[in-house]
Amino acid sequence: MIKINNLSKSFNGKPVLQNINLTIPDGKTMVIVGQSGCGKTVLLRSIIGLMHPDSGSILINNKDITKMSQSELFQVRLDFGMLFQGAALFDSMTVRENVGLALNEHTTLSREQISEKVDERLSMVGLDTIGDKYPSELSGGMKKRVGLARALIMDPKYVLYDEPTTGLDPIMSEQINKLIMDTHSQLDVTSIIVTHDMHSAFTVGDIIAMIVDGRVIFCGTVDEFQSSDHEYVKRFAVLQFGAS
Amino acid sequence: MINHWIGKKILTFFMEVGRLWRLFILLIIATRYLFGRMDLVLKQMRVIGVNSLPLISVVSIFTGAVTAWQAVYQFNGVMPEGMTIDFLGAAVNAAILIELSPVLAGIVIAGRVGASIAAELGTMKVTEQIDALETLAIDPIRYLAGPRFVAGWTMMPVLVIYSNIIAHLGAFVVSKFLIGVSSATFFGSIQRYFSVYNVYSGLIKAFIFGGGTALIGCSIGFNTEGGAEGVGKSTIKAFVFSSAFILIADYILAMILF
Ligand SMILES: Nc1ncnc2c1ncn2[C@@H]1O[C@H](COP(=O)(O)OP(=O)(O)O)[C@@H](O)[C@H]1O
Ligand SMILES: [Mg+2]
């Protein structure tokens, strides 16, 4: 379980997250929605310890990640996989090297065993034929899928997605949504997805939280979200579908 | 207004020095772990060392050549001609070993290696690749900076030894074919005044210049912000900082070593 308590963060005096309280139960998929620039990425980066909040706590299985030493943090991160908005593939490495890096660094598996596991993850995301290519040779959607394969290589308990469908065409978005759901059911993970794509949110989410001006203004199931009377929630959902 | 500007610059300078110092300590700690990761270190040794050989060759051969030519020109009229010829090898030898090879090779490496480390790590920073490493529980200081730092301080002395040889070759060719000094006179002169201390002091400088350049490149790369423009700024900054470091450290080392 991930429990976020009273989390606040500001940059140069400008508050970005204000008193965020969220609980993500094990095995659930939480989608955090909100306008661009509302602090979604900052929240996600705080959960995995890439950014340090000004106050509040983030409990992963009752252990506060904000108070951990560097080595404890690295230990906890072995349970996490993160898909970055721009995929963040290592461009000096091939797809296979990208996906297998963590196994190479953290396990004593043989070359063949690693290769096998990499193949398994690559075929899971539908990319078994591009292992020897470099990231610069891939399309945006392929990069995201490789990024997902890399995030899943260590069999994480928690998977974090930063805008997985942003900037993709509708067909590729649909594929990514399906992959997120497959990942969830096949690997039995707890997921947090940050997005402003409401269609994706409704498709993959169990719980939806909405952030406006750095505060959580809504948190509930997809059904509750769709029947909410909250002005902003209604407007956000309607405008999204109106526009696309 | 101007006070404020100067104050800010001084503050940034000390912040930068603080960052360098912190990274230096962390790198010293990381060195232990790198014994098990010779694959990473060897790769950087190739990038920093072997791939710099062509450039170092060109710079060294012309440095040697011009030193011989200028030495004769400067000695002329000050010393009797026989003495000029007699001293030529020794003068060229000392200048190359103590100053020219370490400093010129150092600055060439600052341009080639320091800047490219900053550009590479800076690009990784702004495209979140460094963050991605962290989420995979891989320490970027160990994995990225460590091998570059070790390759920097180990390969620079090797490059300087190579540069010494090539520079002497350049000086010899000019002395023999353009100035008309015989091989025996040229090398005899070197032999008579040769001091092995000059070689050591040049190598100590190389060790410090190489480590410093890699350290500065890594630190500036890791602290890059602001997309492609930021990477450009970091690249220039790494070159300026490491060249300045080399010239200042050269002066300080001269005071200590001589
Ligand atoms: N490292 C940083 N330094 C300063 N400001 C930042 C930094 N990271 C994010 N911000 C600011 O925080 C706000 C939220 O950013 P972000 O979480 O990236 O938004 P989004 O919801 O689109 O992911 C933005 O106004 C952004 O400018
Ligand atoms: Mg974002």
Side-chain angles (χ1 to χ4, degrees):
Chain A
M1 190 172 73
I2 299 178
K3 204 164 170 3
I4 300 167
N5 295 316
N6 291 320
L7 193 76
S8 297
K9 171 83 181 169
S10 41
F11 289 107
N12 310 317
K14 183 176 142 272
V16 172
L17 299 177
Q18 303 183 54
N19 271 315
I20 301 279
N21 288 292
L22 285 172
T23 301
I24 302 105
D26 279 341
K28 295 286 181 203
T29 299
M30 170 171 279
V31 182
I32 299 171
V33 295
Q35 269 183 301
S36 292
C38 75
K40 302 184 297 292
T41 299
V42 171
L43 179 59
L44 216 51
R45 292 166 66 89
S46 304
I47 293 174
I48 200 165
L50 289 174
M51 275 184 175
H52 304 285
D54 302 333
S55 62
S57 61
I58 300 167
L59 304 178
I60 317 285
N61 271 334
N62 294 320
K63 277 185 279 184
D64 188 354
I65 200 162
T66 62
K67 296 196 173 55
M68 284 183 185
S69 68
Q70 184 81 356
S71 58
E72 287 173 304
L73 199 54
F74 277 137
Q75 199 57 41
V76 171
R77 281 184 186 146
L78 291 173
D79 289 338
F80 276 87
M82 177 157 176
L83 174 58
F84 286 83
Q85 186 165 353
L89 301 180
F90 307 120
D91 38 37
S92 63
M93 299 182 194
T94 65
V95 166
R96 300 188 65 85
E97 288 165 345
N98 263 280
V99 177
L101 181 69
L103 287 176
N104 231 327
E105 296 296 312
H106 298 304
T107 68
T108 53
L109 296 180
S110 70
R111 208 177 272 259
E112 290 74 32
Q113 286 167 310
I114 290 178
S115 181
E116 214 169 283
K117 185 94 201 248
V118 169
D119 283 334
E120 189 187 309
R121 284 289 174 263
L122 279 177
S123 69
M124 193 178 150
V125 299
L127 292 174
D128 4 33
T129 56
I130 59 147
D132 295 323
K133 288 203 183 339
Y134 282 88
S136 59
E137 303 169 75
L138 307 180
S139 71
M142 283 167 141
K143 281 185 194 166
K144 292 230 169 163
R145 286 189 281 164
V146 174
L148 182 58
R150 185 179 69 184
L152 299 177
I153 196 74
M154 295 289 285
D155 296 316
K157 292 196 193 104
Y158 309 98
V159 186
L160 312 181
Y161 301 84
D162 193 355
E163 314 230 10
T165 56
T166 300
L168 300 180
D169 62 76
I171 294 178
M172 185 52 74
S173 294
E174 208 46 49
Q175 271 190 40
I176 297 277
N177 286 337
K178 186 169 175 306
L179 268 178
I180 294 173
M181 289 187 288
D182 289 350
T183 303
H184 190 254
S185 59
Q186 287 174 27
L187 302 180
D188 191 27
V189 293
T190 306
S191 316
I192 304 179
I193 296 155
V194 143
T195 188
H196 58 243
D197 174 355
M198 288 315 297
H199 175 70
S200 174
F202 293 152
T203 311
V204 302
D206 296 317
I207 313 166
I208 296 188
M210 178 154 217
I211 298 185
V212 178
D213 294 334
R215 293 176 194 278
V216 178
I217 61 153
F218 174 91
C219 184
T221 64
V222 173
D223 287 341
E224 285 166 355
F225 188 92
Q226 283 168 331
S227 58
S228 168
D229 289 333
H230 198 292
E231 263 316 302
Y232 194 91
V233 170
K234 272 172 27 190
R235 202 154 61 111
F236 198 86
V238 168
L239 283 178
Q240 265 273 322
F241 283 113
S244 59
Chain B
M1 193 47 205
I2 196 101
N3 270 339
H4 184 72
W5 184 81
I6 293 173
K8 229 173 105 179
K9 284 281 167 197
I10 292 176
L11 195 71
T12 344
F13 175 77
F14 279 106
M15 251 171 64
E16 212 70 61
V17 172
R19 274 178 187 159
L20 280 173
W21 188 246
R22 181 172 172 276
L23 183 61
F24 178 67
I25 302 289
L26 291 172
L27 280 170
I28 297 295
I29 298 168
T31 308
R32 193 173 38 123
Y33 149 96
L34 285 169
F35 282 111
R37 292 310 304 267
M38 273 312 175
D39 55 327
L40 297 177
V41 177
L42 285 174
K43 181 172 174 226
Q44 291 306 321
M45 284 180 158
R46 203 178 61 229
V47 173
I48 292 175
V50 181
N51 295 358
S52 296
L53 287 178
L55 188 56
I56 295 279
S57 305
V58 174
V59 171
S60 303
I61 200 147
F62 284 103
T63 302
V66 78
T67 308
W69 188 257
Q70 282 289 341
V72 171
Y73 179 77
Q74 298 294 334
F75 285 158
N76 263 346
V78 184
M79 291 184 195
E81 193 163 340
M83 245 170 108
T84 302
I85 302 294
D86 217 33
F87 268 122
L88 182 60
V92 166
N93 173 254
I96 289 173
L97 294 182
I98 301 172
E99 286 297 330
L100 294 173
S101 269
V103 172
L104 286 176
I107 289 189
V108 166
I109 292 299
R112 195 187 162 276
V113 173
S116 90
I117 291 177
E120 193 184 359
L121 300 190
T123 304
M124 291 186 76
K125 172 77 193 308
V126 300
T127 56
E128 297 188 310
Q129 291 177 52
I130 299 214
D131 294 324
L133 266 185
E134 292 223 25
T135 63
L136 295 172
I138 298 169
D139 182 357
I141 290 177
R142 280 186 192 176
Y143 190 79
L144 297 173
R148 287 166 174 77
F149 180 62
V150 172
W153 60 253
T154 52
M155 288 319 280
M156 195 66 204
V158 178
L159 288 174
V160 166
I161 291 173
Y162 174 76
S163 166
N164 284 337
I165 296 167
I166 300 293
H168 278 88
L169 190 70
F172 171 69
V173 169
V174 167
S175 304
K176 185 167 168 75
F177 296 107
L178 298 181
I179 304 170
V181 181
S182 76
S183 315
T185 315
F186 184 80
F187 288 111
S189 165
I190 293 182
Q191 206 175 16
R192 233 173 308 128
Y193 297 97
F194 180 78
S195 152
V196 73
Y197 186 72
N198 291 346
V199 178
Y200 290 149
S201 64
L203 295 184
I204 291 172
K205 285 181 179 181
F207 168 80
I208 292 172
F209 296 169
T213 297
L215 178 70
I216 290 169
C218 290
S219 176
I220 289 176
F222 279 153
N223 290 296
T224 302
E225 261 164 31
E229 195 190 342
V231 175
K233 281 186 188 154
S234 280
T235 312
I236 297 171
K237 203 165 139 191
F239 174 61
V240 171
F241 266 59
S242 31
S243 321
F245 165 78
I246 287 170
L247 296 173
I248 295 167
D250 187 48
Y251 174 73
I252 295 171
L253 285 167
M255 311 294 283
I256 297 171
L257 294 168
F258 295 94

